[in-house]
Amino acid sequence: MKTSTGEEQFWDHYAAWKEDSKTYDVSKRLLLVDWKSQKERGMDAYYDKLTPSMLNALKCILQKRSKNLKTSTLLALKKRHLIEDKETLTDYGRLLAIRQFPLDKQCRFLNLPFEDWKLNWGGKPEEFVKKTLIEHGAKAYFVENSIGLFIDYLMGDLTLAVAKRINKKVYTLNPPYDLEIFFWMKRDLEMYLESFDINHCRNSFSICFPFLQMLIMEEKPLQIVDIFDDMYRALGLEKVKSLIRMFFSNPLAYNYRGWPDLFVIEGTSAYCIEVKTTDRLHINQLITIPDLVQYTNIPVRVVRLKGEHGGRI
């Protein structure tokens, strides 16, 4: 698992920090791993500072059409760590290039399955797609804001155990909320994942219930756990573990940001869907969704509603 400079600094200075203060308090910069950690913070502002010629050059390099680009533009891009050379984008540069394209081309560059649904639809687009899938026999859950909670819930036992060990209070199950708890959890991560079995999700309810009942959500705690248990069993242990490893590799990159809209269970298959209408994939999604596919092997499809809005559901 990747270790950030900030994480190394944390352990290098941990004893001194603990000796000087009863509570560990340090800037979130210590969580930074790489450019993904920045996500929208700063990246949008940085993007806006690029000139039209720089943005066009990124698109040209992505499409293998860099022959006539100006040397000055290439030097400016290299100085900003957006290209390796005239024909190679950095990961960050590739992201900013893909960001400029229409949705269908974005999916092509990212190797994401893309579908246009030419149906009249009404209400919220995600709810329409969810209802359509359910009508065709699938289970579908809206999870854009709850995949992070799903991970927090599965890790609840370790969060509380680590907090007790280092004498810290827990106000939320979200590990990045407290860096000291987070880094200690990461140290114990593989050992903890070894304890997972098919009933881990259900068995975590009593531990996590006090935190679930504080959430402002439409679903009650038992309903939330029913959904999570469906997701847990549909994914299987290996994909669940891979999802948790991905989260702990770079928490500022994935912490409640950029996840797909829907989780779908169709027979023995489980996958995610990102729903679009007129917009394209934004920066958070351009990071999280491809990583979700690559590091966890959870398929993600992109569905765009093209029919007339206003039809009855």
Side-chain angles (χ1 to χ4, degrees):
M1 189 181 297
K2 186 180 290 184
T3 301
S4 68
T5 302
E7 187 173 347
E8 292 169 355
Q9 290 175 350
F10 174 89
W11 292 116
D12 287 345
H13 301 285
Y14 182 71
W17 279 327
K18 290 294 287 186
E19 187 176 337
D20 291 342
S21 174
K22 291 182 180 179
T23 57
Y24 173 72
D25 184 22
V26 71
S27 167
K28 285 245 179 181
R29 66 183 173 78
L30 286 181
L31 272 179
L32 298 182
V33 176
D34 56 24
W35 58 272
K36 291 182 183 179
S37 297
Q38 300 289 356
K39 302 276 308 217
E40 287 185 332
R41 291 189 298 272
M43 290 186 72
D44 279 345
Y46 186 59
Y47 179 86
D48 292 339
K49 291 178 182 178
L50 298 178
T51 66
S53 60
M54 290 180 195
L55 293 171
N56 182 63
L58 292 174
K59 290 175 66 176
C60 289
I61 295 170
L62 182 66
Q63 297 176 98
K64 309 298 183 185
R65 298 186 322 201
S66 58
K67 185 176 180 181
N68 297 318
L69 295 177
K70 292 182 179 179
T71 302
S72 58
T73 302
L74 294 172
L75 287 173
L77 292 175
K78 189 156 189 174
K79 184 178 179 180
R80 290 164 173 79
H81 308 290
L82 299 178
I83 63 171
E84 301 287 353
D85 54 49
K86 185 177 180 179
E87 298 179 348
T88 310
L89 296 167
T90 62
D91 287 342
Y92 184 14
R94 185 171 184 271
L95 173 75
L96 296 185
I98 293 173
R99 180 180 180 172
Q100 301 177 66
F101 285 90
L103 180 62
D104 56 341
K105 288 189 176 180
Q106 286 184 326
C107 292
R108 203 176 308 152
F109 286 124
L110 297 172
N111 294 315
L112 293 174
F114 172 77
E115 303 172 26
D116 272 330
W117 286 18
K118 297 181 180 179
L119 300 169
N120 292 337
W121 58 282
K124 295 182 178 179
E126 300 87 358
E127 287 297 329
F128 176 80
V129 173
K130 174 184 167 182
K131 186 174 186 297
T132 301
L133 290 164
I134 292 172
E135 287 174 349
H136 285 79
K139 287 185 176 181
Y141 302 113
F142 181 69
V143 295
E144 179 189 14
N145 299 316
S146 55
I147 290 184
L149 179 61
F150 175 62
I151 297 169
D152 295 345
Y153 173 85
L154 295 176
M155 300 300 292
D157 193 9
L158 181 59
T159 303
L160 296 177
V162 166
K164 183 178 181 180
R165 188 195 314 160
I166 61 176
N167 197 29
K168 297 290 288 284
K169 287 185 177 180
V170 176
Y171 301 97
T172 170
L173 290 179
N174 185 228
Y177 175 81
D178 187 302
L179 301 186
E180 186 178 6
I181 292 175
F182 171 81
F183 284 128
W184 275 109
M185 286 178 68
K186 187 173 178 182
R187 277 203 165 183
D188 292 346
L189 186 61
E190 289 304 319
M191 182 173 64
Y192 183 65
L193 292 179
E194 283 298 313
S195 72
F196 277 30
D197 61 23
I198 198 63
N199 296 312
H200 176 80
C201 189
R202 283 283 175 205
N203 292 342
S204 298
F205 180 67
S206 59
I207 297 164
C208 299
F209 175 74
F211 299 92
L212 293 181
Q213 66 179 351
M214 292 189 296
L215 298 173
I216 302 174
M217 296 180 68
E218 292 181 8
E219 297 86 0
K220 301 296 183 184
L222 275 173
Q223 293 173 307
I224 294 171
V225 175
D226 284 341
I227 294 170
F228 286 173
D229 194 55
D230 268 358
M231 294 170 61
Y232 184 85
R233 293 173 186 274
L235 288 172
L237 289 178
E238 290 311 310
K239 286 184 179 179
V240 167
K241 291 178 182 180
S242 295
L243 178 64
I244 292 170
R245 290 186 186 106
M246 171 182 157
F247 177 84
F248 272 85
S249 72
N250 195 336
L252 290 189
Y254 311 117
N255 192 25
Y256 287 83
R257 293 179 166 203
W259 300 101
D261 293 312
L262 302 175
F263 184 86
V264 183
I265 305 171
E266 208 166 8
T268 58
S269 300
Y271 59 92
C272 294
I273 289 181
E274 174 61 30
V275 181
K276 294 293 183 184
T277 53
T278 58
D279 57 332
R280 46 187 139 178
L281 297 173
H282 56 67
I283 280 213
N284 289 349
Q285 295 167 335
L286 288 171
I287 294 171
T288 300
I289 290 176
D291 284 0
L292 184 62
V293 175
Q294 179 180 351
Y295 298 125
T296 74
N297 203 30
I298 299 172
V300 180
R301 305 177 188 177
V302 178
V303 169
R304 179 171 60 187
L305 295 178
K306 291 281 282 184
E308 182 179 345
H309 183 227
R312 295 181 63 187
I313 298 180

